[in-house]
């Protein structure tokens, strides 16, 4: 299915990397690729190629970056980038984390000047010296101001929120997100409530699911069927309404929501509690060395694909059809000898079709890979970019597109897969369908609807409480 487009990565020297997070840049998506020893890279599309525009502050050479996530922590309308550094497998680490705050655009060109908020005097004793893996953004009240959850391994996890004075505070205990386990992967979004819940994939289980109850959380994974205690969980993502959970040398899971929610509606206005059943087809469940999972309609035919990135094993690809998820040939993205550690999607070149960026390097340095599907841009598509009250990407917002034949919902990525984060756009392939309606639901529960939206267009949808000028 995929064709190799790696020649579009300028200066693609072998790199020892792990995660990748995509954030809006000055002139298009920027992908921060973490560097484990070598510097981080910040890739954006310029002059027909993905080029590294990382400043020294972003590159942060010499530390050991693994997971990354972008979100607006200070409600200024621009996303910060949180990079988790760890040179230890578990417990304590000598590396502290990096929180990049965009200060301004450098004169005479489109690059951005950044500062590290962990480097502020007010945060002198606030660094994270706990080994971990993934990071995810979480707007627990729906105010447009995000915190960052760090999935720690062999140490208590962290949930940082940023004060107006630049002070970072660990809010885990205060908001009910306490966790001390082999945490690996994260997915933040509406899972069992209508607000931003948090799924934590755990090695040697059980997994955790923190349900959002008015900005505070209760752990409910066992109650709703998502604990999977015998899975060494790695990647996790929502794939066409199903929660896909990848296993490391253990069976992968495909949790399908049951048609009848259990129990009455909650008093805080959330949805009735959903429950899930593992309905993974044998080809997906078969154990392999799964790392990141990426769900997207790569060929714009109106059916979603699920890409399963692996380390030292063949990558796999599945497509959702009327008969459920079936295996398809990944083409050039099979990578039988790849040391894949992370992957993300974005429309880097702006043609209306998605590119898949794969990061390698846990066991040895390898070049990055870029893949796309030939002819995908010829099919119709629609892209929806919701924004917060402050104009930043509305991570965790749910976007629903209706056509005459189907209704589908995608959540704007707040951290998923494993160590990674996708672009902050809900992308829908249409095939030959015509979009009739788009509905956006923000993490605070407010909604907006567009009737008869144009196809082959990226629509930016402002939060209903955003100021009007």
């Amino acid at each position: 299915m995929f064709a190799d487009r790696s020649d579009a990565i300028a200066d693609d020297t072998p790199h020892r990397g792990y995660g990748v997070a995509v954030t809006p840049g000055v002139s298009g998506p920027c992908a921060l690729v973490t560097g484990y020893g070598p510097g981080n890279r910040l890739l954006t599309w310029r002059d027909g190629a993905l080029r590294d525009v990382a400043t020294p502050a972003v590159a942060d050479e010499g530390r050991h970056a693994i997971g990354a996530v972008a979100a607006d922590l200070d409600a200024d309308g621009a996303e910060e980038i949180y990079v988790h550094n760890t040179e230890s497998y578990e417990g304590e680490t000598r590396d502290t984390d990096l929180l990049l705050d965009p200060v301004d655009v450098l004169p005479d060109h489109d690059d951005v000047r950044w500062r590290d908020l962990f480097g502020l005097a007010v945060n002198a004793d606030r660094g994270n010296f706990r080994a971990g893996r993934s990071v995810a953004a979480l707007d627990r009240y729906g105010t447009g101001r995000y915190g960052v959850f760090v999935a720690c391994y062999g140490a208590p996890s962290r949930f940082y929120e940023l004060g107006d004075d630049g002070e970072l505070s660990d809010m885990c205990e205060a908001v009910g997100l306490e966790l001390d386990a082999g945490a690996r992967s994260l997915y933040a979004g509406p899972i069992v409530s209508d607000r931003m819940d948090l799924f934590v994939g755990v090695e040697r289980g059980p997994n955790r699911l923190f349900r959002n109850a008015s900005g505070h959380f209760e752990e409910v994974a066992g109650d709703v069927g998502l604990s999977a205690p015998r899975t060494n969980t790695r990647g996790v993502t929502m794939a066409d309404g199903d929660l896909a959970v990848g296993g490391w040398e253990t069976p992968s899971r495909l949790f399908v929501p049951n048609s009848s929610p259990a129990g009455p509606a909650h008093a805080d206005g959330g949805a009735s509690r959903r429950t899930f059943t593992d309905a993974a087809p044998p080809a997906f469940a078969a154990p392999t060395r799964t790392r990141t999972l990426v769900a997207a309609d790569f060929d714009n035919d109106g059916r979603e694909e699920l890409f399963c990135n692996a380390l030292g094993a063949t990558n796999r690809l599945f497509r959702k059809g009327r008969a459920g998820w079936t295996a398809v040939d990944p083409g050039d993205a099979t990578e039988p000898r790849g040391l894949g550690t992370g992957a993300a999607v974005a429309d880097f070149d702006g043609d209306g079709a998605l590119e898949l960026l794969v990061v390698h390097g846990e066991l040895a340095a390898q070049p990055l890979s870029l893949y796309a599907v030939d002819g995908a841009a010829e099919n119709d598509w629609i892209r929806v970019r919701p924004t917060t009250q402050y104009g930043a990407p509305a991570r965790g917002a749910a976007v629903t597109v209706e056509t005459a034949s189907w209704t589908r919902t995608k959540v704007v990525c707040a951290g998923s897969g494993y160590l990674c984060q996708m672009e902050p756009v809900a992308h829908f392939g249409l095939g030959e369908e015509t979009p009739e309606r788009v509905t956006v639901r923000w993490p605070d529960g407010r909604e907006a609807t567009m009737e008869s939206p144009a196809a082959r267009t990226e629509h930016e949808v402002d939060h209903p409480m955003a100021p009007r000028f």
Side-chain angles (χ1 to χ4, degrees), residues 295-312:
D297 186 352
F298 292 103
D299 56 4
N300 283 338
D301 71 346
R303 297 173 295 172
E304 193 151 74
E305 286 85 40
L306 177 59
F307 177 74
C308 305
N309 185 32
L311 190 151

Side-chain angles (χ1 to χ4, degrees), residues 47-123:
D47 302 323
L50 278 176
R51 302 183 186 277
D52 186 3
V53 297
T55 62
V58 174
D60 195 33
E61 192 163 356
R63 284 202 273 187
H64 299 82
I66 180 165
V69 73
D72 186 6
L73 275 68
D74 55 7
D76 67 351
E79 291 197 317
E80 285 70 43
I81 304 177
Y82 191 106
V83 181
H84 177 53
N85 293 298
T86 177
E87 94 291 349
S88 299
Y89 180 82
E90 62 182 328
E92 299 298 314
T93 176
R94 293 188 299 272
D95 287 344
T96 189
D97 292 344
L98 179 69
L99 181 53
L100 294 164
D101 178 32
V103 179
D104 55 33
V105 178
L106 296 173
D108 301 326
H109 50 85
D110 292 337
D111 294 338
V112 175
R113 185 165 65 90
W114 304 80
R115 62 172 180 168
D116 177 15
L117 295 182
F118 275 110
L120 299 179
V122 71
N123 293 320

Side-chain angles (χ1 to χ4, degrees), residues 159-178:
F159 177 59
Y160 282 111
E161 291 186 334
L162 184 66
D164 290 335
D165 60 354
E167 184 178 37
L168 287 158
S169 299
D170 181 5
M171 301 294 290
C172 270
E173 182 177 355
V175 304
L177 288 173
E178 294 173 283

Side-chain angles (χ1 to χ4, degrees), residues 177-240:
L177 288 173
E178 294 173 283
L179 175 65
D180 190 348
R184 285 280 186 173
S185 55
L186 301 170
Y187 178 86
I191 302 174
V192 292
S193 80
D194 291 330
R195 304 299 174 91
M196 289 192 76
D197 306 314
L198 181 67
F199 176 89
V200 183
V202 177
E203 185 164 59
R204 293 184 291 274
N207 299 320
R208 312 297 204 276
L209 176 64
F210 293 96
R211 179 188 175 273
N212 189 336
S214 301
H216 289 69
F217 296 85
E218 57 176 346
E219 204 287 300
V220 299
D223 297 338
V224 302
L226 295 178
S227 59
R230 289 179 294 278
T231 298
N232 288 330
T233 300
R234 291 298 191 272
V236 57
T237 192
M238 194 67 74
D240 199 24

Side-chain angles (χ1 to χ4, degrees), residues 22 34 405:
V22 183
T34 63
S405 301

